[in-house]
Amino acid sequence: MTELYNRNSEKEKRQFLRNNMTAAEQKLWLQLKGKQLENCKFRRQYSVSQFIIDFYSPEIKLAIEVDGDSHFQEGAQE
């Protein structure tokens, strides 16, 4: 599982992002956590390859990316 999803090499970055969520991510997480939305489990800061997705539900295969300042930093668009 760690070959493509939630690689160990990205673990510290995922933890940092979970502990330092933007205000928009915090508001959305309050609505997603605890199976509040359609009884689906969501995970925070889930990585696929070299990308880290803000929220992901494996049950319905839905990824949610919340735009924020990090998307406008140099190199982020690549």
Side-chain angles (χ1 to χ4, degrees):
M1 176 143 172
T2 58
E3 289 180 30
L4 184 61
Y5 303 102
N6 281 337
R7 293 179 176 173
N8 289 332
S9 61
E10 301 292 323
K11 185 176 182 177
E12 286 183 30
K13 187 173 182 181
R14 289 192 313 271
Q15 287 176 332
F16 176 82
L17 291 171
R18 275 194 298 271
N19 292 326
N20 296 284
M21 289 193 299
T22 65
E25 290 171 345
Q26 289 174 2
K27 288 178 183 180
L28 183 55
W29 180 240
L30 288 175
Q31 303 302 311
L32 295 177
K33 70 179 184 175
K35 295 187 175 186
Q36 294 182 76
L37 182 66
E38 298 295 321
N39 203 32
C40 292
K41 180 175 180 150
F42 279 84
R43 300 171 190 265
R44 292 184 293 166
Q45 308 304 338
Y46 188 82
S47 64
V48 178
S49 188
Q50 75 269 24
F51 304 103
I52 298 178
I53 302 165
D54 291 329
F55 305 102
Y56 179 67
S57 174
E59 298 171 48
I60 57 175
K61 296 181 179 158
L62 175 66
I64 301 173
E65 182 64 30
V66 179
D67 285 340
D69 292 340
S70 64
H71 296 274
F72 302 106
Q73 294 177 358
E74 187 175 324
Q77 291 180 353
E78 288 114 27

